[in-house]
Structures are given as C-alpha cells and as structure tokens.
Amino acid sequence: MGTYDIVITKGSVQSYNVAYVNGTLTITKAPLTVGVEDATITEGDALPAFTLTYDGFRCGDTEATAFTVKPHATTEATAASAPGEYPIIVGGGEAKNYELSYTGGTLTIEANPLPQDEDLTARVGTSQEDWHAWGVCATDYAPAITTSDGRTAQMMETYEETVETVGEMMYQDVSGLEPGDYAVELYANAQYTDGRGFASDLRDGATDIAYVSANSRRCYVTAHVGTAVSENGIYTVYAHVTDGTLRLGLTAEKAGTNWHTLQIKKLTLLRQGTVVYADDKVREYWHKNPELTYTVSGAEVTGAPRLSCAAITTSAPGTYPIKVAKGTLSSDQPIYLQAGVLTVTVPSGIDAIGSGDDEALPLYDLQGRRVEGRPRPGFYIRQGKVVSIRKQRYEKMDSIVK
C-alpha cells in the first residue's frame, strides 16, 4: 500500500519543445466486508459458534491468509437469556491489504416448548425453628452450606444420649406444593458407635443405619464410626406429591446412631423428564422375594429399567434397598431413578427371630424334639419362643432326640 511515481520520458517524441511531468500511482487497501450468519437456539441451550462471512477477497486470499488478526463475533446474550432477538456484533479484525467494514447479525432465542423445572428451595426452612425433633440445633461440627437460592444454612443436628434410639430423628413439612414429581438434594450424616455398651459389628462407611427421606421415598446415608460428624455427603431423593405436602427428614433405622445432621440444599419441581420409581415391597422372613416392579411418572419412555435387591430367603427381618438401573430405558427427556425398599417382616405367629447361637439354652424343633449339635437353618423353639437359625454355613446335625 502507498504511492508510487509514474515517470514519463521523451520516448519517440521528435519535438524539443515538450515538457514532461511525472505522475503518481496510489495503491489503497481493497474493501472487504465481514458479516455473520444469523443463528437460532432454544431457550436454555448453549450459545452456538457464530459463522463469519466475507465479501471482497482478492488474488486468491482466504480467511487464513488475509488477516493478521482474525475478526470475531460476540453477543450480549447468554445461555440463561430469555427468549427474544439479540444483536451479533462483528469486529476486532486486522488485515494488511484490506479495508475492513462490518455487518452484524441476529441471534434468535426461541422459547423452550417444554415446561421448565422450578426451583422451590425458598419454600424450605433452614433455621432451627423449621425442624422438628428433640434437641435439634445448629451444629458447629459441620460447615454451613449455601442453598441453591443463595442462603447460608447451618447443618441441623440432633443428638440422642442412647445409641439404642431408632425412628425419625428430625423432619420438616413443606406444604402448599402442586402435585408432581420433586427432586430433593440433602446434605446429611449419621454417626454410630460400637462403644458405650452397644454391641455392634458395623463397619465404617456402612449404609444401612439411617436414611434421608422425602415422603415415603428414601436414600440411605453413609454412617461413620467414632466421631460426631466426620464428613458430609449430598444425597438426592425423588418423590411424588399428591396432597400438597412433602415431608423431609432423617430416620435412624437401626440402633447404633446417636448423632445426626441434615440440611436441605435444593428442592426442585420437575416439570420435564421422567422419574422411574422402584415400587416398595413387603414379604415375610424365609419367603422368596416378590416380583420387583416399578412405576413411571412423567414423560413417556421406551424400554425397561433393571431392578435388583440383595435380600435372599434367609435375610433377617429388616429393610433392603431395591436398586433401579437405567437398563434399556430411553427418552428424549431426562430420566431420573429412585430406589425402593423391600421390607422383610417376622412371619405371622413367630414371637422372635434370633440367631440360635446361645448353646447354653436348649433348642427344640417344631415337633418338640430337642436338637443336639449345630442345627440347620430354619425355625426352632427356645425358651417357649419360636426363633430362626439364619446361619448359612452349618455342620451336619449330630443327633435329634426326644
């Protein structure tokens, strides 16, 4: 780019009465217009990569060869912007041989045709007065959390002097909710001990001591040995509301826990997607597991989930999670999975379920015959009560005598 002399000489001119005046050649940058293609996204989508357009390349130039600094396109819109039209601004380019001009475009954000999930965390109380339990208080053993609506919430704590206590440790009811499926994210912890006179064979990290719940749905909490709060985990429970009320809480299911902490991080009304609930089941001890079934709530799905339960015929009375995996389920919307619970009960007419290992007391079969040696698994009578022997490894009975 620049100016260059144009030199004129006599050439073949024969006259001597001629004046010669040089000229000037001016070379300017070629005009190049940079534009951008319009773009359209759906509400909630990530911003697209904008496509630039060019008009005016010379001598075989391309985007790769023409610029010392490539132009770019930007917009004030974000993935969280409301539906509407937003300008796409182009600029920032530098080129040695081109005079750049720019034309903008338009980003159109269309309304999402699906209803959006609604954050209702503001409906949940986070103070001590919002929780119901004996001795519930804010604890300094666990750091405060930040709820999804930006509040600082101290973990709530309940402490029982006896580790034999079982049942609902703390709860709160959230009322005035519309019918539908809800996702509840909770921070929770349970501490159990094998000291203080409580005989326990529980292991650190066991998950069958306490659970957080939303209505009848539950998620088992990993418990820890020997410290009030060793760490806190977040658990998500899905629940269906029909009567406008959602009860949130933490329950000690077995003796052994004496410290419990709980706080709600987020409550979401799911307006899209599907929740697949493993149905709760009940059976008596020493019976086979019933057929495992599930309930689908929300958008239509194809395929089927995979259900499983670790309980077997000889599993002791108590509760056992019914796990649900995605299996062959498919949908164009999110799929959420909620485990169920199998409850194994003491059979009708049975006074107690015991281990039968106290060899100091005589054991009789159901026909009244005394059993000597190690018995096979089954029902027996000891001190006038029916007990169950649950040992799966046993030796052949030495003898059976009247």
Side-chain angles (χ1 to χ4, degrees):
M1 303 300 106
T3 58
Y4 301 87
D5 290 335
I6 302 174
V7 178
I8 184 171
T9 59
K10 178 180 178 182
S12 58
V13 175
Q14 299 297 316
S15 174
Y16 291 95
N17 191 24
V18 177
Y20 302 95
V21 179
N22 292 340
T24 301
L25 171 64
T26 302
I27 301 178
T28 62
K29 292 184 177 182
L32 177 62
T33 302
V34 184
V36 62
E37 294 182 359
D38 293 337
T40 301
I41 61 173
T42 300
E43 180 184 10
D45 289 349
L47 294 180
F50 298 119
T51 302
L52 298 178
T53 62
Y54 304 97
D55 182 18
F57 280 138
R58 305 287 180 89
C59 302
D61 271 337
T62 65
E63 181 185 60
T65 61
F67 298 102
T68 54
V69 177
K70 291 183 179 180
H72 56 270
T74 59
T75 180
E76 64 180 9
T78 68
S81 295
E85 293 186 346
Y86 298 85
I88 304 173
I89 307 301
V90 183
E94 296 180 11
K96 180 179 179 180
N97 298 323
Y98 294 94
E99 190 70 39
L100 303 180
S101 61
Y102 302 99
T103 59
T106 300
L107 171 66
T108 301
I109 301 180
E110 298 180 341
N112 195 326
L114 297 175
Q116 297 300 293
D117 295 344
E118 186 175 356
D119 189 337
L120 298 178
T121 309
R123 305 281 293 276
V124 180
T126 58
S127 68
Q128 180 176 337
E129 292 73 21
D130 297 311
W131 293 94
H132 303 277
W134 177 86
V136 68
C137 63
T139 178
D140 294 327
Y141 285 98
I145 67 167
T146 301
T147 62
S148 64
D149 61 338
R151 289 177 292 168
T152 298
Q154 192 69 41
M155 293 285 286
M156 290 296 107
E157 171 186 83
T158 181
Y159 172 70
E160 298 292 337
E161 286 295 334
T162 171
V163 295
E164 298 293 338
T165 303
V166 296
E168 194 168 44
M169 295 292 101
M170 67 182 83
Y171 74 91
Q172 71 166 286
D173 293 325
V174 184
S175 58
L177 301 176
E178 65 178 86
D181 296 293
Y182 289 78
V184 187
E185 295 181 28
L186 312 96
Y187 276 103
N189 181 268
Q191 177 263 346
Y192 64 88
T193 178
D194 54 7
R196 299 175 56 166
F198 178 73
S200 171
D201 59 358
L202 302 174
R203 304 176 313 278
D204 189 55
T207 58
D208 58 353
I209 303 302
Y211 60 84
V212 289
S213 61
N215 285 356
S216 62
R217 297 295 174 176
R218 63 181 65 176
C219 181
Y220 283 87
V221 173
T222 298
H224 297 274
V225 174
T227 180
V229 179
S230 58
E231 63 182 57
N232 296 289
I234 188 166
Y235 303 85
T236 300
V237 185
Y238 300 95
H240 190 78
V241 170
T242 57
D243 61 359
T245 299
L246 187 62
R247 185 165 185 146
L248 311 174
L250 184 146
T251 297
E253 189 172 69
K254 296 181 181 180
T257 58
N258 60 344
W259 290 88
H260 314 89
T261 53
L262 177 66
Q263 190 57 271
I264 309 301
K265 178 167 180 64
K266 187 176 184 180
L267 173 64
T268 304
L269 170 59
L270 301 175
R271 296 189 181 279
Q272 59 175 288
T274 302
V275 183
V276 179
Y277 297 97
D279 296 330
D280 292 340
K281 298 292 180 178
V282 178
R283 72 162 173 85
E284 289 186 346
Y285 173 70
W286 208 260
H287 286 67
K288 292 182 178 179
N289 288 343
E291 180 184 0
L292 302 181
T293 58
Y294 61 93
T295 299
V296 175
S297 181
E300 183 178 353
V301 296
T302 59
R306 185 173 65 256
L307 305 173
S308 63
C309 182
I312 59 176
T313 303
T314 56
S315 294
T319 56
Y320 299 85
I322 300 175
K323 298 180 180 180
V324 54
K326 187 174 180 180
T328 60
L329 288 173
S330 178
S331 175
D332 58 357
Q333 296 188 34
I335 296 175
Y336 307 101
L337 305 173
Q338 174 59 47
V341 175
L342 170 67
T343 301
V344 179
T345 63
V346 175
S348 302
I350 300 300
D351 300 300
I353 298 293
S355 67
D357 286 340
D358 190 347
E359 297 179 358
L361 298 174
L363 189 69
Y364 300 87
D365 66 18
L366 297 182
Q367 286 72 45
R369 297 173 299 182
R370 183 166 178 169
V371 177
E372 302 292 346
R374 183 175 292 277
R376 293 176 180 272
F379 293 110
Y380 298 87
I381 298 175
R382 171 169 282 152
Q383 288 191 316
K385 292 185 177 182
V386 179
V387 297
S388 171
I389 306 300
R390 297 193 298 270
K391 293 287 188 180
Q392 296 186 41
R393 294 181 179 179
Y394 54 88
E395 300 172 359
K396 186 175 182 181
M397 294 170 60
D398 296 330
S399 63
I400 298 180
V401 298
K402 292 185 178 180

